[in-house]
Coordinates of all heavy atoms in Angstrom, one line a residue:
M1 N 24.8 5.9 27.9 CA 24.1 4.6 27.9 C 23.0 4.8 26.9 O 22.2 5.8 26.9 CB 23.6 4.3 29.2 CG 22.7 3.1 29.2 SD 22.3 2.2 30.7 CE 22.5 3.0 32.1
P2 N 22.8 3.9 25.9 CA 21.7 4.0 24.9 C 20.3 3.8 25.6 O 20.2 3.1 26.6 CB 22.0 2.8 24.0 CG 22.9 1.9 24.6 CD 23.6 2.7 25.7
Y3 N 19.4 4.5 25.0 CA 18.0 4.4 25.5 C 17.4 3.0 25.1 O 17.5 2.5 24.0 CB 17.1 5.5 24.8 CG 15.7 5.4 25.2 CD1 15.2 5.8 26.4 CD2 14.7 4.9 24.3 CE1 13.9 5.7 26.8 CE2 13.4 4.8 24.6 CZ 13.0 5.2 25.9 OH 11.7 5.1 26.2
E4 N 16.8 2.4 26.1 CA 16.1 1.1 25.9 C 14.6 1.3 26.1 O 14.1 1.8 27.1 CB 16.6 0.1 27.0 CG 16.0 -1.2 26.9 CD 16.4 -2.0 25.6 OE1 17.6 -1.8 25.2 OE2 15.6 -2.7 25.2
P5 N 13.8 1.2 25.0 CA 12.4 1.4 25.1 C 11.7 0.4 26.2 O 12.2 -0.7 26.4 CB 11.8 1.0 23.7 CG 12.9 0.5 22.9 CD 14.2 0.6 23.7
T6 N 10.6 1.0 26.7 CA 9.9 0.2 27.7 C 9.1 -0.9 27.0 O 9.0 -0.9 25.8 CB 9.0 1.1 28.5 OG1 7.9 1.5 27.6 CG2 9.7 2.2 29.2
H7 N 8.7 -1.9 27.8 CA 7.8 -2.9 27.2 C 6.6 -2.3 26.6 O 6.2 -2.7 25.5 CB 7.4 -3.9 28.4 CG 6.5 -5.0 27.9 ND1 7.0 -6.0 27.1 CD2 5.2 -5.3 28.1 CE1 6.0 -6.8 26.7 NE2 4.9 -6.4 27.4
A8 N 6.0 -1.4 27.2 CA 4.8 -0.7 26.7 C 5.1 0.0 25.3 O 4.3 0.0 24.3 CB 4.2 0.3 27.7
E9 N 6.3 0.6 25.2 CA 6.6 1.3 24.0 C 6.9 0.3 22.9 O 6.5 0.6 21.8 CB 7.9 2.2 24.3 CG 7.7 3.4 25.1 CD 9.0 4.1 25.5 OE1 10.0 3.4 25.7 OE2 8.9 5.3 25.6
R10 N 7.5 -0.8 23.2 CA 7.8 -1.9 22.2 C 6.4 -2.4 21.7 O 6.3 -2.6 20.5 CB 8.7 -2.9 22.8 CG 10.1 -2.5 22.9 CD 11.0 -3.7 23.2 NE 10.7 -4.5 24.3 CZ 11.1 -4.3 25.6 NH1 11.9 -3.2 25.8 NH2 10.7 -5.1 26.6
L11 N 5.5 -2.6 22.6 CA 4.1 -3.1 22.2 C 3.4 -2.1 21.3 O 2.8 -2.5 20.3 CB 3.3 -3.4 23.5 CG 3.6 -4.7 24.2 CD1 2.7 -4.8 25.4 CD2 3.4 -5.9 23.3
R12 N 3.5 -0.8 21.7 CA 2.9 0.2 20.8 C 3.4 0.2 19.4 O 2.7 0.3 18.4 CB 2.9 1.6 21.5 CG 1.9 1.9 22.5 CD 1.8 3.3 22.9 NE 3.0 3.8 23.4 CZ 3.4 3.7 24.7 NH1 2.5 3.1 25.6 NH2 4.5 4.3 25.2
Y13 N 4.8 0.1 19.4 CA 5.5 0.2 18.1 C 5.1 -1.1 17.3 O 4.8 -1.0 16.1 CB 7.0 0.2 18.3 CG 7.7 0.2 17.0 CD1 7.8 1.3 16.2 CD2 8.4 -1.0 16.6 CE1 8.5 1.4 15.0 CE2 9.1 -1.0 15.4 CZ 9.2 0.2 14.6 OH 9.8 0.2 13.4
K14 N 5.0 -2.2 17.9 CA 4.7 -3.5 17.2 C 3.2 -3.4 16.7 O 2.9 -3.7 15.6 CB 4.8 -4.7 18.2 CG 4.2 -6.0 17.7 CD 5.3 -6.8 17.0 CE 4.7 -8.2 16.7 NZ 4.0 -8.3 15.5
R15 N 2.3 -2.9 17.5 CA 0.9 -2.7 17.0 C 0.9 -1.7 15.9 O 0.1 -1.9 15.0 CB 0.1 -2.2 18.2 CG -0.2 -3.3 19.2 CD -1.2 -2.8 20.3 NE -1.3 -3.8 21.3 CZ -1.1 -3.6 22.6 NH1 -0.8 -2.4 23.1 NH2 -1.2 -4.6 23.4
S16 N 1.6 -0.6 15.9 CA 1.6 0.3 14.8 C 2.1 -0.3 13.5 O 1.6 -0.1 12.4 CB 2.3 1.6 15.2 OG 3.6 1.4 15.2
Q17 N 3.2 -1.1 13.7 CA 3.8 -1.8 12.5 C 2.8 -2.9 11.9 O 2.6 -3.0 10.7 CB 5.1 -2.5 12.9 CG 6.2 -1.6 13.2 CD 6.7 -0.8 12.0 OE1 6.2 0.2 11.7 NE2 7.6 -1.4 11.3
D18 N 2.1 -3.6 12.8 CA 1.1 -4.6 12.4 C 0.0 -3.9 11.7 O -0.5 -4.4 10.6 CB 0.6 -5.4 13.5 CG 1.6 -6.4 14.2 OD1 2.6 -6.6 13.5 OD2 1.4 -6.8 15.3
A19 N -0.5 -2.8 12.2 CA -1.6 -2.0 11.6 C -1.2 -1.5 10.2 O -1.9 -1.5 9.2 CB -2.0 -0.9 12.5
A20 N 0.1 -1.0 10.1 CA 0.6 -0.5 8.8 C 0.7 -1.7 7.8 O 0.3 -1.5 6.7 CB 1.9 0.2 9.0
Y21 N 1.1 -2.8 8.2 CA 1.2 -4.0 7.3 C -0.2 -4.3 6.8 O -0.4 -4.6 5.6 CB 1.8 -5.2 8.1 CG 1.9 -6.4 7.2 CD1 3.1 -6.5 6.3 CD2 1.0 -7.4 7.1 CE1 3.2 -7.6 5.5 CE2 1.1 -8.4 6.3 CZ 2.2 -8.5 5.4 OH 2.3 -9.6 4.6
E22 N -1.2 -4.4 7.7 CA -2.6 -4.7 7.3 C -3.1 -3.6 6.4 O -3.9 -4.0 5.4 CB -3.5 -4.8 8.6 CG -3.2 -6.0 9.4 CD -3.3 -7.3 8.6 OE1 -4.3 -7.4 7.8 OE2 -2.5 -8.2 8.8
L23 N -2.8 -2.4 6.6 CA -3.2 -1.3 5.6 C -2.6 -1.6 4.2 O -3.3 -1.4 3.2 CB -2.8 0.1 6.1 CG -3.7 0.6 7.3 CD1 -3.1 1.9 7.8 CD2 -5.1 0.8 6.9
G24 N -1.4 -2.0 4.2 CA -0.7 -2.3 2.9 C -1.4 -3.5 2.2 O -1.7 -3.5 1.0
E25 N -1.7 -4.5 3.0 CA -2.4 -5.7 2.5 C -3.8 -5.3 1.9 O -4.2 -5.7 0.8 CB -2.7 -6.7 3.6 CG -1.5 -7.5 3.9 CD -1.0 -8.5 2.8 OE1 -1.8 -9.3 2.3 OE2 0.1 -8.3 2.3
E26 N -4.6 -4.4 2.6 CA -5.8 -4.0 2.2 C -5.7 -3.1 0.8 O -6.5 -3.3 -0.1 CB -6.5 -3.1 3.2 CG -7.9 -2.7 2.9 CD -8.6 -1.9 4.0 OE1 -8.1 -2.0 5.2 OE2 -9.5 -1.1 3.7
A27 N -4.7 -2.3 0.8 CA -4.5 -1.4 -0.4 C -4.1 -2.3 -1.6 O -4.6 -2.1 -2.7 CB -3.4 -0.4 -0.1
V28 N -3.3 -3.4 -1.4 CA -3.0 -4.3 -2.5 C -4.2 -4.9 -3.0 O -4.5 -5.0 -4.2 CB -1.9 -5.3 -2.1 CG1 -1.8 -6.4 -3.1 CG2 -0.6 -4.6 -1.9
T29 N -5.1 -5.4 -2.1 CA -6.3 -6.1 -2.5 C -7.2 -5.2 -3.2 O -7.8 -5.6 -4.2 CB -7.0 -6.7 -1.2 OG1 -6.1 -7.6 -0.6 CG2 -8.3 -7.3 -1.6
N30 N -7.4 -3.9 -2.7 CA -8.3 -3.0 -3.4 C -7.7 -2.6 -4.8 O -8.5 -2.5 -5.7 CB -8.4 -1.7 -2.5 CG -9.1 -2.0 -1.2 OD1 -9.9 -2.9 -1.1 ND2 -8.9 -1.1 -0.3
L31 N -6.4 -2.4 -4.9 CA -5.9 -2.1 -6.2 C -5.9 -3.2 -7.2 O -6.3 -3.0 -8.3 CB -4.4 -1.6 -6.0 CG -3.8 -1.0 -7.3 CD1 -4.5 0.1 -8.0 CD2 -2.3 -0.5 -6.9
Q32 N -5.7 -4.5 -6.7 CA -5.9 -5.6 -7.6 C -7.3 -5.7 -8.1 O -7.5 -6.0 -9.3 CB -5.5 -6.9 -6.9 CG -4.0 -7.1 -6.7 CD -3.6 -8.2 -5.8 OE1 -4.4 -8.6 -4.9 NE2 -2.5 -8.9 -6.1
A33 N -8.3 -5.5 -7.2 CA -9.7 -5.6 -7.6 C -10.0 -4.5 -8.6 O -10.7 -4.7 -9.7 CB -10.6 -5.5 -6.4
A34 N -9.6 -3.3 -8.4 CA -9.8 -2.2 -9.3 C -9.2 -2.4 -10.7 O -9.8 -2.2 -11.7 CB -9.3 -0.9 -8.7
L35 N -7.9 -2.9 -10.6 CA -7.2 -3.2 -11.9 C -8.0 -4.3 -12.7 O -8.1 -4.3 -13.9 CB -5.8 -3.6 -11.6 CG -4.8 -2.5 -11.2 CD1 -3.5 -3.0 -10.7 CD2 -4.6 -1.5 -12.3
A36 N -8.4 -5.3 -11.9 CA -9.1 -6.4 -12.6 C -10.4 -6.0 -13.3 O -10.7 -6.4 -14.4 CB -9.5 -7.5 -11.6
L37 N -11.1 -4.9 -12.7 CA -12.3 -4.4 -13.4 C -11.9 -3.8 -14.7 O -12.7 -3.8 -15.6 CB -12.9 -3.3 -12.5 CG -13.7 -3.8 -11.2 CD1 -14.1 -2.6 -10.4 CD2 -14.8 -4.6 -11.6
A38 N -10.7 -3.3 -14.9 CA -10.2 -2.7 -16.1 C -9.5 -3.7 -17.0 O -9.0 -3.4 -18.0 CB -9.3 -1.5 -15.8
G39 N -9.5 -5.0 -16.5 CA -8.8 -6.0 -17.3 C -7.2 -5.9 -17.2 O -6.6 -6.4 -18.1
L40 N -6.8 -5.3 -16.1 CA -5.3 -5.1 -16.0 C -4.7 -5.9 -14.8 O -5.5 -6.2 -13.8 CB -5.0 -3.7 -15.7 CG -5.3 -2.7 -16.8 CD1 -5.3 -1.2 -16.4 CD2 -4.4 -2.9 -18.1
T41 N -3.5 -6.3 -14.9 CA -2.7 -6.9 -13.8 C -1.4 -6.4 -13.7 O -0.7 -6.2 -14.8 CB -2.6 -8.4 -14.0 OG1 -3.9 -9.0 -14.2 CG2 -1.9 -9.1 -12.9
L42 N -1.0 -6.0 -12.5 CA 0.4 -5.6 -12.3 C 1.1 -6.8 -11.6 O 0.9 -7.1 -10.5 CB 0.6 -4.4 -11.4 CG 0.1 -3.1 -12.1 CD1 0.2 -1.9 -11.0 CD2 0.8 -2.7 -13.3
P43 N 1.9 -7.6 -12.3 CA 2.4 -8.8 -11.8 C 3.3 -8.7 -10.5 O 3.3 -9.6 -9.7 CB 3.2 -9.4 -12.9 CG 3.2 -8.5 -14.1 CD 2.3 -7.3 -13.7
S44 N 3.9 -7.6 -10.4 CA 4.8 -7.4 -9.2 C 4.1 -6.7 -8.0 O 4.8 -6.3 -7.1 CB 6.0 -6.6 -9.6 OG 6.7 -7.3 -10.6
L45 N 2.8 -6.4 -8.2 CA 2.1 -5.7 -7.1 C 2.1 -6.4 -5.8 O 1.7 -7.6 -5.9 CB 0.6 -5.4 -7.6 CG -0.3 -4.7 -6.6 CD1 0.2 -3.3 -6.3 CD2 -1.7 -4.7 -7.2
C46 N 2.6 -5.9 -4.7 CA 2.7 -6.6 -3.5 C 2.8 -5.6 -2.3 O 3.1 -4.4 -2.5 CB 3.8 -7.5 -3.5 SG 5.5 -6.7 -3.5
N47 N 2.5 -6.1 -1.2 CA 2.7 -5.4 0.1 C 4.1 -5.5 0.4 O 4.7 -6.6 0.5 CB 1.8 -6.0 1.2 CG 1.9 -5.2 2.5 OD1 2.6 -4.3 2.6 ND2 1.1 -5.7 3.5
D48 N 4.8 -4.4 0.6 CA 6.2 -4.4 0.9 C 6.5 -4.1 2.4 O 7.5 -3.7 2.8 CB 6.9 -3.3 0.0 CG 8.4 -3.7 -0.2 OD1 8.8 -4.8 0.0 OD2 9.1 -2.8 -0.7
G49 N 5.5 -4.3 3.2 CA 5.6 -4.2 4.6 C 5.5 -2.7 5.1 O 5.5 -1.8 4.3
P50 N 5.5 -2.5 6.4 CA 5.5 -1.2 6.9 C 6.8 -0.4 6.7 O 7.8 -1.0 6.8 CB 5.2 -1.3 8.3 CG 5.6 -2.7 8.7 CD 5.5 -3.6 7.4
V51 N 6.7 0.8 6.3 CA 7.9 1.7 6.2 C 7.5 2.9 7.0 O 6.6 3.6 6.7 CB 8.2 2.1 4.8 CG1 9.3 3.1 4.7 CG2 8.5 0.9 3.9
G52 N 8.2 3.2 8.1 CA 8.0 4.3 9.0 C 6.6 4.3 9.6 O 5.9 5.3 9.6
C53 N 6.1 3.1 9.9 CA 4.8 2.9 10.5 C 3.6 3.2 9.5 O 2.6 3.5 9.9 CB 4.6 3.7 11.8 SG 5.7 3.0 13.1
R54 N 3.9 3.1 8.2 CA 2.9 3.3 7.2 C 3.0 2.1 6.3 O 4.0 1.5 6.0 CB 3.2 4.6 6.4 CG 3.0 5.8 7.3 CD 2.9 7.0 6.4 NE 2.6 8.2 7.3 CZ 3.1 9.3 7.1 NH1 3.9 9.6 6.1 NH2 2.7 10.3 7.9
G55 N 1.8 1.7 5.8 CA 1.7 0.7 4.8 C 2.5 1.1 3.5 O 2.5 2.3 3.2
F56 N 3.1 0.2 2.9 CA 3.9 0.5 1.7 C 3.6 -0.5 0.6 O 3.8 -1.7 0.8 CB 5.4 0.5 2.0 CG 6.3 1.1 0.9 CD1 6.4 2.4 0.7 CD2 7.0 0.2 0.1 CE1 7.2 2.9 -0.4 CE2 7.7 0.7 -1.0 CZ 7.9 2.0 -1.2
V57 N 3.1 -0.1 -0.5 CA 2.8 -1.0 -1.6 C 3.7 -0.8 -2.7 O 4.0 0.3 -3.2 CB 1.3 -0.7 -2.1 CG1 1.0 -1.5 -3.3 CG2 0.3 -0.9 -1.0
R58 N 4.3 -1.9 -3.2 CA 5.3 -1.9 -4.3 C 4.4 -2.3 -5.5 O 3.9 -3.3 -5.6 CB 6.3 -3.0 -4.1 CG 7.4 -3.0 -5.2 CD 8.6 -3.8 -4.9 NE 9.2 -3.4 -3.6 CZ 10.1 -2.4 -3.4 NH1 10.5 -1.6 -4.5 NH2 10.7 -2.1 -2.3
L59 N 4.4 -1.3 -6.4 CA 3.7 -1.5 -7.7 C 4.4 -2.3 -8.7 O 3.8 -3.1 -9.5 CB 3.3 -0.1 -8.3 CG 2.5 0.8 -7.4 CD1 2.3 2.1 -8.1 CD2 1.2 0.2 -7.1
G60 N 5.7 -2.3 -8.7 CA 6.5 -3.2 -9.6 C 6.4 -2.7 -11.0 O 6.0 -1.6 -11.3
G61 N 6.9 -3.5 -11.8 CA 7.0 -3.2 -13.3 C 5.9 -3.9 -14.1 O 5.2 -4.8 -13.7
C62 N 5.8 -3.4 -15.3 CA 4.9 -4.0 -16.3 C 5.3 -3.5 -17.6 O 6.1 -2.7 -17.8 CB 3.4 -3.5 -16.0 SG 3.2 -1.7 -16.2
N63 N 4.7 -4.2 -18.6 CA 5.1 -3.8 -20.0 C 4.5 -2.5 -20.4 O 3.6 -2.0 -19.8 CB 4.8 -5.0 -21.0 CG 3.3 -5.3 -21.1 OD1 2.5 -4.4 -21.1 ND2 3.0 -6.6 -21.2
A64 N 4.9 -2.0 -21.6 CA 4.5 -0.6 -22.0 C 3.0 -0.7 -22.3 O 2.3 0.3 -22.0 CB 5.3 -0.2 -23.3
A65 N 2.5 -1.8 -22.9 CA 1.0 -1.8 -23.2 C 0.2 -1.7 -21.9 O -0.9 -1.0 -21.9 CB 0.7 -3.2 -23.9
V66 N 0.6 -2.4 -20.8 CA -0.2 -2.3 -19.6 C -0.1 -0.9 -19.0 O -1.1 -0.3 -18.5 CB 0.3 -3.4 -18.6 CG1 -0.3 -3.2 -17.2 CG2 0.0 -4.8 -19.1
A67 N 1.1 -0.3 -19.1 CA 1.3 1.0 -18.5 C 0.4 2.0 -19.3 O -0.2 2.9 -18.7 CB 2.7 1.4 -18.6
N68 N 0.4 1.9 -20.6 CA -0.5 2.8 -21.4 C -2.0 2.6 -21.1 O -2.7 3.5 -21.0 CB -0.2 2.6 -22.9 CG 1.1 3.3 -23.3 OD1 1.5 4.3 -22.8 ND2 1.8 2.6 -24.3
R69 N -2.4 1.3 -21.0 CA -3.8 1.1 -20.7 C -4.1 1.6 -19.2 O -5.2 2.1 -19.0 CB -4.1 -0.5 -20.7 CG -5.4 -0.8 -20.4 CD -6.5 -0.4 -21.4 NE -7.8 -0.8 -20.9 CZ -8.8 0.0 -20.9 NH1 -8.7 1.3 -21.2 NH2 -10.0 -0.4 -20.4
L70 N -3.2 1.4 -18.3 CA -3.4 1.9 -17.0 C -3.5 3.4 -17.0 O -4.4 4.1 -16.4 CB -2.2 1.6 -16.1 CG -2.3 1.9 -14.6 CD1 -3.6 1.4 -13.9 CD2 -1.1 1.4 -13.9
A71 N -2.7 4.1 -17.8 CA -2.8 5.6 -18.0 C -4.2 6.0 -18.5 O -4.8 6.9 -18.1 CB -1.7 6.1 -18.9
E72 N -4.7 5.3 -19.5 CA -6.0 5.5 -20.1 C -7.1 5.4 -19.1 O -8.0 6.2 -18.9 CB -6.3 4.5 -21.2 CG -5.5 4.8 -22.5 CD -5.7 3.6 -23.5 OE1 -6.7 2.9 -23.3 OE2 -4.9 3.6 -24.5
V73 N -7.0 4.3 -18.2 CA -8.1 4.0 -17.2 C -8.1 5.1 -16.2 O -9.1 5.6 -15.7 CB -7.9 2.6 -16.6 CG1 -8.7 2.4 -15.4 CG2 -8.2 1.6 -17.7
I74 N -6.9 5.5 -15.7 CA -6.7 6.6 -14.7 C -7.3 7.9 -15.2 O -8.0 8.6 -14.6 CB -5.3 6.7 -14.2 CG1 -4.9 5.5 -13.4 CG2 -5.1 8.0 -13.4 CD1 -3.4 5.3 -13.1
A75 N -6.9 8.2 -16.4 CA -7.4 9.5 -17.1 C -8.9 9.5 -17.2 O -9.5 10.5 -16.9 CB -6.7 9.7 -18.4
A76 N -9.4 8.4 -17.6 CA -10.9 8.3 -17.8 C -11.6 8.4 -16.5 O -12.6 9.1 -16.3 CB -11.3 6.9 -18.4
G77 N -11.0 7.8 -15.4 CA -11.6 7.9 -14.1 C -11.5 9.3 -13.5 O -12.4 9.9 -12.9
A78 N -10.4 10.0 -13.8 CA -10.2 11.4 -13.4 C -11.2 12.3 -14.1 O -11.8 13.2 -13.4 CB -8.8 11.8 -13.7
H79 N -11.4 12.1 -15.4 CA -12.4 12.9 -16.1 C -13.8 12.7 -15.6 O -14.6 13.6 -15.4 CB -12.3 12.6 -17.6 CG -11.1 13.1 -18.3 ND1 -10.6 14.4 -18.2 CD2 -10.1 12.4 -19.0 CE1 -9.5 14.5 -18.9 NE2 -9.1 13.3 -19.4
A80 N -14.1 11.4 -15.3 CA -15.4 11.1 -14.7 C -15.6 11.8 -13.4 O -16.8 12.3 -13.1 CB -15.6 9.6 -14.6
L81 N -14.6 11.8 -12.6 CA -14.7 12.5 -11.3 C -14.9 14.0 -11.4 O -15.6 14.6 -10.7 CB -13.5 12.2 -10.4 CG -13.4 10.8 -9.9 CD1 -12.1 10.6 -9.1 CD2 -14.6 10.5 -8.9
Q82 N -14.3 14.6 -12.4 CA -14.3 16.0 -12.7 C -15.8 16.4 -13.2 O -16.2 17.5 -13.0 CB -13.3 16.5 -13.7 CG -11.9 16.5 -13.1 CD -10.8 16.8 -14.1 OE1 -11.1 16.8 -15.3 NE2 -9.6 17.0 -13.7
D83 N -16.4 15.5 -13.9 CA -17.7 15.7 -14.5 C -18.9 15.5 -13.6 O -20.0 15.8 -14.0 CB -17.9 14.8 -15.7 CG -16.9 15.1 -16.9 OD1 -16.3 16.3 -16.9 OD2 -16.7 14.3 -17.8
R84 N -18.6 15.2 -12.4 CA -19.7 15.0 -11.4 C -20.3 16.3 -11.0 O -19.9 17.3 -10.9 CB -19.2 14.4 -10.1 CG -18.9 13.0 -10.2 CD -18.6 12.4 -8.9 NE -18.2 11.0 -8.9 CZ -17.8 10.3 -7.9 NH1 -17.9 10.8 -6.7 NH2 -17.5 9.1 -8.0

């Protein structure tokens, strides 16, 4: 006979999924804001829902110019962090 989760187990799972979704939404918002500071947009950036009770952000695609600019911004930020 297959295992049937209890009501409490289903509620805990639902809460963890909801929390993971919210973390994904927050991550998308934070990344969009950071990219905007650098004048960048990833058009396909979105919350892809919880995966394994963790937030999952789909970065999507972009053109080569945006990818190269994003690489420059990330490298500059990494160098700034190392110079602290």
